[in-house]
Amino acid sequence: MVKHLADVPSNIVTNEIDLTNQSPYRQNYHVESESGSLGDPNGFSYFNHQYHLFYQWSPLAFSKNPHYTQHGWKHLVSKNLIDWQDLGAGIESDTVLDKHGTYSGSALPVDNRLFLMYTGNTWTNTESEDDWHRVPYQVGAMMDKDNKVKKWMTPLLKGPLKGYTGHFRDPKIFKKNGIYYAVLGIQRENLTGAALLIKSSDLHKWSIVGEIKADHNNFGYMWECPDYYEINNHGILEFCPQGLETSNNKYRNIYQNGYLIGNHLNLENGQFDCGEFHELDKGFDFYAMQTMRDSKGRRLLIAWMGLPETKYPTEKFHYTGCMIFPRELQVKDGVIIQKPVKEIKDLYQEQFLIEGKTNKESIKLEAGKSNSRDIQLELDCTQAYDTILDLFANEDNTDHLRLIFNHKKQEFIVNRGHCGLPISEAYGAERSCHLDLNKKIKVRILQDVSSAEIFLNDGKDVFSMRVFTDNKNNHIFITSHCGEASYKAKINQLRYRK
Amino acid sequence: MVKHLADVPSNIVTNEIDLTNQSPYRQNYHVESESGSLGDPNGFSYFNHQYHLFYQWSPLAFSKNPHYTQHGWKHLVSKNLIDWQDLGAGIESDTVLDKHGTYSGSALPVDNRLFLMYTGNTWTNTESEDDWHRVPYQVGAMMDKDNKVKKWMTPLLKGPLKGYTGHFRDPKIFKKNGIYYAVLGIQRENLTGAALLIKSSDLHKWSIVGEIKADHNNFGYMWECPDYYEINNHGILEFCPQGLETSNNKYRNIYQNGYLIGNHLNLENGQFDCGEFHELDKGFDFYAMQTMRDSKGRRLLIAWMGLPETKYPTEKFHYTGCMIFPRELQVKDGVIIQKPVKEIKDLYQEQFLIEGKTNKESIKLEAGKSNSRDIQLELDCTQAYDTILDLFANEDNTDHLRLIFNHKKQEFIVNRGHCGLPISEAYGAERSCHLDLNKKIKVRILQDVSSAEIFLNDGKDVFSMRVFTDNKNNHIFITSHCGEASYKAKINQLRYRK
């Protein structure tokens, strides 16, 4: 592993980028890596009059002969959450505290600088050569307004902590009543996961408050990427539990991403009165979400539209992973609702307004040639047994991303099993949820070249997914069986981001 | 509607049969209709040294120009539950009590005759021509040893009963302590479903005991095809509730078929102490089950491997529907387990024994050219993330019925979305259940030309389904990802039934 990407012969780096650029699956307005792997978002924040987004970055992950590896945080900035400027390496693995990986973390503006807090991963062999242990360091760093990062060489905390294994990572920092806090993912010695709360008054000396104690938190062998924040009088603990067995139509992905919602967390003792665990996104590809509060007071969400340990067809082009389009979070009726940030309107180009009624034969909705669309639909499926919307469809509609609204079963199903290349088949080709189809519903879909984010009823249920299909498969069809459905569609073609 | 099939010009009947015989999807050893529609099994019984099976029968259901309809019970007999002799019409709709349909019912040997009990459907317009009401009659009939049926022209009961609608049908008769009882499906005036218990000492005069009162029976707008029986100290009430919303991976089909299990039903007052509702079969196509106790003391199950209001590709050949292969029911750990009756061994021809370990590339299991197989597998999936078994596969394994054993999620999924012609897509292409894959598992599959019945762990979970694929798609492939699975397969090719 090299310390800096700059140490790698430049033709090796550019070869990777050139190959990646040949991919037919490159996204239009979703952030993705210029080559190699993109993973967890990190340090999502607003500082110095712009949004900052870092991510887990390994640009040479798929390079070969000679193979170099480099790992760090990529750094991007944006004024509008759409057009992102690539600032290259944000943090790289170049010190004794992070020599085997600059793992995930977060950021918080402090005075005139941005404080970065992350996990430095190291391995050590204590006794014999084959007895390797993780030694995780929680590391602090300060970034100035010129985007220069200075790491603090005294770790904030060193793991493993007593009673826990070396799985201790992903600090998410927040400030309340003048005190700094962070939540981290940690694994107990009995191999169960938890979220640990720590605190500091000066960012340098951190003490352990203890585990977050919730009624419904006893599951999974590890929790990754926790996040705690408050919306009005609600406290929300988000995290990614690993090791949940599938239960009916829940927890179908390899790892989960969800939240507990309740009263404000007691920051003195970690007590958290909350309800049961909800999956944040019910789709196929969603992980490692991170939130921030922006200058407008919005709680914004970013996440990796991908999963760990999962192969994607883009690996052929030596890259993988993209971000979801940023969402604004609100709480309604005790659950989180998610909406694309309103800045998406800056991407709008041609608009198509279509109204009609379905019949047994599929109707093609004419909505431009590019799959990059913001689709807003009002559907009345109350009179049909089922209504089917196909996206990414080929001319004869044999290949498509299929959305099924089944009135009889009051269910929504999305099936990507007949949509271009197969992905992660062992985890099934369908995701579903209960949906009240006795009333009109709203469906919003952010489509890009190789992804769809589906928002039902103003973001009450959200399904995010990658699809890898031919660019000519750009049609939209709608049909229904045993009765008519009526639809009003407002479809905006979206411009390329800068 | 004609009273008797014999009234229809014979060329019309044979044209239908000829067209049906052209279907490439005709089953080998599963009972199906010679033309038209096959529906609910009826009158499943053992009498006069042979098994009797009737079914809802409409042989001209898809005939056209000129179109005749006829409706009744088809009658089949068998010595071994495999080779069935077709006796033609058992009951036809030829009286004032059943002029609009000979609906479902049951049979019980009484002295030297077989008592048949069914619902005669009639419609009447009481006030104006457009105000049609159902008037259901519960009808008795006696069949002698020459298979001659004599209907009783005094109905056993006439509906609607006070407090209930005209949906009142499907009597299932049983005898206990010298008294005859029957359970029937009924709809309350508030449009919810129930099972009604009635009794008689002489088969002629019936009195109403009342609704079966269970803790967990308050769902659905109608219950069809109830059945009550006892296995050891367990009482079991099976029925088909209609109108259940999908809940996670439960109740995904258009209508359900399942059971309550508890103590013996109190026959005095209908009180039934039982647990929650279980689906009997978790597959795509299963409905209207009926059981009988045979001369060997076995509790045998038959069911329609199909669903109401569902189109199947065989309609092109003017027929639809088949039966499951008969199963023996037992109770283990408080739930029903199901196994194909052991008579299946009479069908065994060539046997293939195959052992091996999977790897990343699919391995083809060589097991003869016909898809008619009894496949018995022992799988050790404990070391692989997932293990995938493909049946009905084409040469390059792009089209198949896919069985997924996902160790990480402890889940079994069957996907028929890439298996020949689409079926009932609005209800999804996957069915799934929790499965403990930390230990070895047993998988048994009865394959036929156009169906598969999958038995997990000796019949603890069962998935039945139709598939309509090219007969050349007769390959079996196995593979696993991220680790090896080992398999022992015993595969019997099955002969054609006589």
Side-chain angles (χ1 to χ4, degrees), chain A residues 244-246 248-249 251 253 255-256 309 385 402 406 408-409 411 417-418 425-427 429-430 434, chain B residues 244-246 248-249 251 253 256 309 385-386 402 404 406 408-409 411 417-418 425 427 429-430 434:
Chain A
L244 300 195
E245 291 183 7
T246 290
N248 297 320
N249 66 357
Y251 315 151
N253 296 335
Y255 301 126
Q256 271 48 62
E309 296 169 42
Y385 271 25
R402 174 157 281 192
N406 186 323
K408 198 141 198 162
K409 309 304 293 185
E411 186 179 36
H418 278 275
E425 288 171 292
Y427 294 85
E430 294 183 344
H434 177 269
Chain B
L244 300 194
E245 291 183 6
T246 290
N248 296 320
N249 65 359
Y251 316 150
N253 296 336
Q256 272 48 64
E309 296 168 41
Y385 271 25
D386 55 82
R402 173 155 282 191
I404 298 166
N406 186 324
K408 198 141 197 164
K409 307 305 292 184
E411 187 178 36
H418 279 274
E425 288 171 292
Y427 294 85
E430 295 183 342
H434 177 269

Side-chain angles (χ1 to χ4, degrees), chain B residues 85-132:
Chain B
Q85 184 188 354
D86 185 342
L87 300 181
I91 313 179
E92 293 185 280
S93 305
D94 56 4
T95 75
V96 293
L97 298 181
D98 53 23
K99 61 184 173 183
H100 297 126
T102 304
Y103 281 13
S104 287
S106 53
L108 188 75
V110 174
D111 305 326
N112 287 318
R113 295 182 298 173
L114 188 68
F115 179 67
L116 306 176
M117 186 175 186
Y118 68 95
T119 302
N121 185 53
T122 70
W123 290 92
T124 186
N125 53 341
T126 48
E127 290 168 32
S128 73
E129 283 199 9
D130 287 337
D131 189 30
W132 288 88

Side-chain angles (χ1 to χ4, degrees), chain A residues 439-479:
Chain A
K439 50 190 182 189
K440 288 184 193 175
I441 53 162
K442 288 190 198 175
V443 183
R444 185 168 181 187
I445 303 156
L446 297 194
Q447 241 193 315
D448 201 342
V449 173
S450 58
S451 69
E453 292 157 89
I454 302 167
F455 300 81
L456 302 178
N457 288 331
D458 295 315
K460 196 169 162 297
D461 292 297
V462 185
F463 293 73
S464 300
M465 65 210 66
R466 302 301 304 272
V467 297
F468 300 98
T469 187
D470 194 294
N471 288 346
K472 279 182 237 150
N473 295 2
N474 59 4
H475 302 296
I476 304 173
F477 290 97
I478 191 166
T479 188

